[in-house]
Amino acid sequence: MPDERVGRRPPGRVEMPKQDPAERRRNFEEVALGLTAEQAAAEAARCLQCKDRPCVSGCPVGVPIPEFIRALREGDVAAAARLIKEKNNLPAICGRVCPQETQCEERCLWAKRGQPIAIGALERYVADWEAEAAGEGDRPGPGPEAAGERSSGGADPEPDSRHRARRETSAAAEPGLAGLAGDSPDLGAGAPAAGRGERPAVAVVGSGPAGLAAAADLARAGYRVTIFESLHAPGGVLRYGIPEFRLPKRILDREIRYVQSLGVRIETNVLVGRTVTLEELFQEGFEAVFIATGAGLPHFLGIPGEHLNGVYSANEFLTRINLMRAYLFPEYDTPIRVGRQVAVIGGGNVAMDAARTALRLGAEEVDVVYRRSRAEMPARREEIENAEEEGIQFHLLANPVEILGDEKGWVRGLVLQRMELGEPDERGRRRPVPVPGSEWTLEVETVVVAIGQGPNPLLVQSTPGLAATPQGQIIVQSGSAQTSLPGVFAGGDIVTGAATVILAMGAGKAAAAEIDRYLRAKKEASAGAG
Amino acid sequence: MYKILAKEELAPRIKKMWVEAPRVARQAKPGHFIIIRLHERGERIPLTIADMDPERGAIMMVFQEMGKTTEELGSYRVGDALADVLGPLGKIVPPRRVGTVLCVGGGVGVAPIYPRARELCQVGNRVVAVVGSRCKDLLIMQKEMEEACHEVHYCTDDGSFGHHGLVTDLLPQLIELERPAEVLAIGPVPMMRAVAQVTRQYNVPTIVSLNAMMVDGTGMCGACRVTVGGEVRFTCVDGPEFDGHQVDFAQLASRLRQFAEEERLALQRYHERKEGCQCQTNG
């Protein structure tokens, strides 16, 4: 029975304007353009301000949605921003990449009419408004790397962006002098020394969504937090995985600067497990460690021809482009070869990202190959639609069986097999079954394998006593982030397997709260003992 | 930033650099490698750690100027700094006492062989080295190798020093004579493949160190995948050392050529720019 309140207002949801598909398929500018002030006000006005807040129960980090929308409605965007940031330290990111349609918006009363409040769009509007107000709106960030700290510097929120900018100029002018403006090397100073009465130091391993969320909350609680990142720039999958047209790097840089402004240090070029062991982090003075290393190990299909030149994992393809900026080769040194015809294997968000990126790099034809039907595709509906609008072709119920190569070792084709849906599997998805004799060949020059990622085993392998599943996921106590080692916590994709940005952030927040309780209890215990 | 503390030209286009990287120096063992990035626009490339000095917080690398990035690195001076150094990377098998070990180093591969030879010796092995290069001028680290090994044999392609020919020419004889328990080969892919072919006939276990193309170096991208014994392995986290009798060298060689065209273009462009720069300063 429909809720009677739903009848009162016209249900017209304000849809966020987007770049025209014919235009955007060839550029890296953001696809969704954001709401105007008028649009945001109109959308906020539709909110029914339900007392039981169903939307909030759909949010993994518990953003006070009706409250921030009320503030927005009252014209107080700054208050709206404060309300969001109480629970979500990365709102400009979540407003862009969260699957709201299966979370907050799905539970909105208006969803029954197919017109839920555009909560994601409003969150993004508020976050962008706040940045604009702080003078950070469209300011081109100092570059992705600038957000990270390579050395052991202090808690300066923008540690060395000036150095870097200066260096880049000098590098362009005269390569031989490129290093002269450099700052101090990594001294491996470890945990910042505790002053009298200061809160303990906590190490966070990985600067993706889980790590950033945990670090921000821990810093707010007064802990001295250092994030260790193995790449040269922070952000994890937000940096190397999600393309510019979905999450501009300047937005990511802005959010990371905010986390740094809370007092979080980020040390890049540290691969925990190799550069420093978990045990050594405790020796350096950290009293707790949060492992948020994500799901970074690419899966391959195991079919013939997968090692031919022109076959990339989605991780490699996207990392070359997003992190290394191969699309600017030869201005940037990292190459990529996209080819005219590209096949992307997989049906998730990563596959959509890779396919749409290939298109933007000049591919004439991009085919997404997925072995089940559209209904089973794990990608966000919106991203599938965006991809289709941009001209990506979908080959559904098609299973790759072999990649064909030419005499020089390059990809020339992808052999596919027709599938039909059989009985549901253990997750309720109907299992695809091959149709014998149905093989056909797609002529392609490039194949991107986007069939999922597993946990990177490196840290587990190098840490005696850290329990993990046979698949490599770190085992935590039920309903907790506590691992098999005291003082060591884990959360995000490394525990759950590949999931979403917001679930990882939720795990990071929960872990931060748990680490806080753990360190308080530890302090009380030692005070009691002393 | 990772400052260059010392630099030396070992041979034409082969350079040695000590770089300040205290965290890396503290953990580094022979066989480890690093990923470096020169500057904001740079690519990430792997280089083997040829020596380490934890006291000074420094690591040493030896590289041959082959492409744009190595040539640009070669132009860096003492006091300059690399934007990024990540390491130590790779899986290390600690040296064991096995008897006699034959170390085969080709070209710039002598540099990573050196610390391995030294530690193999320290744990009580007899270490015999075969060092090969195109010509006498390109032979590097002769003194270090002679200090680290019980015996060093030289080969040059042009006969300008030592045996006139390939390292594999000397292997059968040395294997018969020394009866090595193990062979360690580091050098160009054709050399490692040829060494593995010889030692397979004699059934001598052979370790090779692969120089696959990499991006992140942490197991994330799979660019460095190689087939070893029919299984897919990632050179960066499962290697770089593998059983030479199991490695699919043809696949490795083909994958190393993946961006040959782009590498040529980048180098050509780098040369043009450098000349352009000089014209401006001179004019």
Side-chain angles (χ1 to χ4, degrees):
Chain A
M1 196 165 73
D3 190 293
E4 60 142 22
R5 287 171 299 175
V6 174
R8 276 194 239 140
R9 279 175 239 260
R13 168 174 158 123
V14 178
E15 291 301 334
M16 197 186 299
K18 286 181 188 176
Q19 257 201 90
D20 184 81
E23 285 284 321
R24 73 185 193 228
R25 67 199 294 272
R26 293 297 184 214
N27 70 49
F28 275 90
E29 300 297 311
E30 215 175 349
V31 167
L33 300 170
L35 300 177
T36 62
E38 294 73 30
Q39 287 169 326
E43 187 61 12
R46 292 175 61 231
C47 176
L48 298 169
Q49 294 289 313
C50 308
K51 287 280 168 297
D52 52 348
R53 304 158 92 226
C55 49
V56 179
S57 66
C59 177
V61 298
V63 166
I65 295 163
E67 290 76 7
F68 97 73
I69 294 180
R70 192 191 314 133
L72 198 53
R73 197 141 79 178
E74 288 162 1
D76 193 349
V77 196
R82 274 196 304 277
L83 283 160
I84 294 174
K85 279 198 166 164
E86 272 174 24
K87 295 287 184 184
N88 184 347
N89 292 303
L90 311 169
I93 293 171
C94 292
R96 285 172 168 82
V97 303
C98 266
Q100 290 97 9
E101 64 279 6
T102 61
Q103 298 178 1
C104 52
E105 292 183 14
E106 186 181 48
R107 309 207 181 181
C108 176
L109 278 187
W110 282 117
K112 291 173 187 166
R113 297 277 186 94
Q115 305 277 341
I117 301 291
I119 299 168
L122 291 176
E123 182 180 34
R124 169 179 163 162
Y125 171 79
V126 172
D128 288 355
W129 179 93
E130 193 200 23
E132 199 78 45
E136 290 204 45
D138 268 331
R139 161 178 141 193
E145 289 77 1
E149 187 181 342
R150 233 150 279 234
S151 59
S152 62
D156 182 350
E158 279 188 57
D160 47 10
S161 57
R162 263 182 319 162
H163 270 313
R164 194 116 322 122
R166 188 146 37 100
R167 246 190 102 253
E168 190 158 290
T169 322
S170 76
E174 222 232 284
L177 294 175
L180 281 184
D183 36 15
S184 61
D186 77 319
L187 298 170
R196 188 183 293 265
E198 269 197 22
R199 307 293 293 275
V202 180
V204 173
V205 186
S207 64
L212 288 172
D217 276 10
L218 286 163
R220 279 166 178 274
Y223 294 99
R224 291 166 298 123
V225 184
T226 303
I227 302 181
F228 294 99
E229 166 58 47
S230 67
L231 291 175
H232 57 259
V237 71
L238 305 169
R239 174 81 57 195
Y240 71 75
I242 300 181
E244 185 75 16
F245 56 83
R246 278 217 293 140
L247 175 63
K249 300 289 172 284
R250 63 170 201 283
I251 305 289
L252 174 61
D253 290 340
R254 189 172 88 194
E255 301 277 64
I256 291 172
R257 280 198 299 271
Y258 171 71
V259 172
Q260 288 177 311
S261 76
L262 299 171
V264 173
R265 290 176 62 222
I266 302 176
E267 200 179 324
T268 52
N269 294 328
V270 178
L271 179 60
V272 176
R274 289 272 199 261
T275 311
V276 62
T277 63
L278 216 56
E279 198 185 336
E280 285 163 339
L281 287 179
F282 285 101
Q283 288 163 12
E284 285 186 14
F286 292 101
E287 293 190 35
V289 177
F290 178 54
I291 301 171
T293 48
L297 192 78
H299 289 159
F300 286 94
L301 293 151
I303 61 174
E306 215 164 8
H307 307 290
L308 288 164
N309 290 338
V311 182
Y312 302 96
S313 75
N315 272 1
E316 179 185 357
F317 188 74
L318 292 170
T319 299
R320 283 181 180 274
I321 294 158
N322 297 333
L323 175 73
M324 305 308 297
R325 305 191 188 185
Y327 60 96
L328 295 173
F329 179 86
E331 278 301 314
Y332 281 67
D333 292 340
T334 303
I336 184 99
R337 214 184 270 189
V338 174
R340 279 167 299 156
Q341 282 114 1
V342 180
V344 177
I345 300 167
N349 287 320
V350 178
M352 298 305 119
D353 285 348
R356 297 170 70 198
T357 298
L359 200 65
R360 283 160 173 76
L361 285 170
E364 286 161 20
E365 191 186 317
V366 181
D367 300 284
V368 165
V369 173
Y370 182 56
R371 63 197 188 112
R372 300 177 198 244
S373 74
R374 181 172 303 250
E376 286 83 24
M377 283 178 84
R380 286 183 75 183
R381 198 63 31 209
E382 187 189 335
E383 300 305 336
I384 297 171
E385 286 164 15
N386 279 338
E388 269 185 326
E389 281 175 18
E390 289 167 12
I392 307 279
Q393 308 285 319
F394 286 81
H395 295 266
L396 302 170
L397 290 164
N399 189 42
V401 288
E402 184 180 359
I403 302 170
L404 304 174
D406 63 18
E407 66 287 353
K408 288 182 174 161
W410 282 85
V411 172
R412 66 174 177 85
L414 176 64
V415 182
L416 299 173
Q417 184 179 43
R418 178 69 53 212
M419 306 294 272
E420 54 189 20
L421 289 180
E423 295 301 305
D425 63 13
E426 64 279 2
R427 286 161 68 186
R429 293 197 299 182
R430 291 180 67 191
R431 197 188 301 271
V433 184
V435 177
S438 63
E439 287 82 4
W440 83 102
T441 301
L442 209 57
E443 276 181 36
V444 292
E445 295 175 298
T446 305
V447 173
V448 180
V449 182
I451 55 166
Q453 298 90 235
N456 189 321
L458 207 137
L459 183 55
V460 169
Q461 282 169 3
S462 67
T463 310
L466 184 60
T469 67
Q471 291 76 37
Q473 276 135 16
I474 293 179
I475 296 171
V476 292
Q477 287 172 18
S478 170
S480 149
Q482 176 66 58
T483 68
S484 56
L485 294 173
V488 180
F489 301 81
D493 284 3
I494 187 65
V495 170
T496 58
T500 61
V501 167
I502 188 67
L503 285 174
M505 283 179 54
K509 279 189 90 67
E514 195 176 343
I515 290 168
D516 181 40
R517 287 195 299 274
Y518 164 80
L519 289 172
R520 281 172 194 277
K522 193 177 154 198
K523 191 180 168 194
E524 277 164 26
S526 69
Chain B
M1 304 297 290
Y2 302 81
K3 209 196 280 176
I4 296 166
L5 302 174
K7 178 185 169 183
E8 189 186 330
E9 185 165 282
L10 299 181
R13 304 182 70 79
I14 299 180
K15 282 164 183 162
K16 164 178 157 177
M17 271 180 189
W18 280 95
V19 176
E20 194 170 41
R23 275 195 189 277
V24 184
R26 210 153 36 179
Q27 303 283 355
K29 301 271 183 303
H32 272 137
F33 69 96
I34 48 174
I35 292 268
I36 65 158
R37 197 179 68 130
L38 298 185
H39 48 70
E40 291 313 303
R41 295 178 178 209
E43 60 181 337
R44 295 169 66 96
I45 62 159
L47 286 176
T48 311
I49 300 174
D51 208 349
M52 62 287 303
D53 184 346
E55 303 279 293
R56 217 162 40 129
I59 49 170
M60 194 258 271
M61 55 203 191
V62 174
F63 58 94
Q64 186 165 18
E65 295 178 1
M66 308 254 293
K68 193 253 174 186
T69 298
T70 42
E71 200 167 297
E72 191 173 5
L73 174 61
S75 76
Y76 277 30
R77 303 167 201 169
V78 172
D80 287 352
L82 315 186
D84 301 286
V85 174
L86 171 68
L89 303 172
K91 202 180 238 171
I92 292 302
V93 184
R96 290 171 307 134
R97 185 173 176 174
V98 290
T100 300
V101 181
L102 207 54
C103 290
V104 187
V108 77
V110 177
I113 278 274
Y114 159 67
R116 295 291 262 146
R118 193 177 54 188
E119 68 170 5
L120 283 164
C121 216
Q122 279 163 0
V123 298
N125 293 296
R126 172 172 163 77
V127 178
V128 177
V130 185
V131 169
S133 76
R134 283 212 314 275
C135 61
K136 182 172 186 288
D137 288 349
L138 292 174
L139 275 177
I140 56 166
M141 301 178 77
Q142 241 174 296
K143 188 167 150 275
E144 287 93 333
M145 284 300 283
E146 280 167 19
E147 276 169 15
C149 307
H150 292 90
E151 218 175 283
V152 184
H153 301 265
Y154 296 96
C155 316
T156 49
D157 294 359
D158 66 353
S160 52
F161 192 75
H163 168 75
H164 185 168
L166 303 173
V167 289
T168 38
D169 298 345
L170 299 186
L171 283 187
Q173 204 184 323
L174 279 169
I175 292 172
E176 303 269 5
L177 186 73
E178 297 283 351
R179 300 272 159 207
E182 221 169 69
V183 171
L184 174 66
I186 308 181
V189 173
M191 185 210 88
M192 292 192 287
R193 173 162 42 182
V195 169
Q197 265 159 12
V198 173
T199 59
R200 189 182 288 118
Q201 290 161 21
Y202 291 89
N203 220 0
V204 186
T206 299
I207 303 294
V208 292
S209 179
L210 306 185
N211 55 336
M213 176 179 71
M214 293 183 191
V215 183
D216 62 288
T218 66
M220 193 187 83
C221 81
C224 66
R225 60 191 186 275
V226 287
T227 304
V228 182
E231 279 185 36
V232 181
R233 312 298 299 275
F234 288 178
T235 306
C236 65
V237 288
D238 301 320
E241 295 185 356
F242 292 106
D243 178 350
H245 296 160
Q246 303 286 325
V247 171
D248 183 340
F249 284 106
Q251 186 191 85
L252 173 69
S254 171
R255 285 190 63 75
L256 282 168
R257 283 194 301 271
Q258 182 159 353
F259 292 108
E261 218 171 279
E262 285 79 3
E263 282 158 17
R264 252 195 313 278
L265 177 72
L267 188 61
Q268 188 193 337
R269 197 168 161 280
Y270 175 67
H271 287 157
E272 284 165 8
R273 288 199 138 192
K274 225 162 76 169
E275 280 159 26
C277 270
Q278 278 162 3
C279 288
Q280 276 169 8
T281 34
N282 294 343

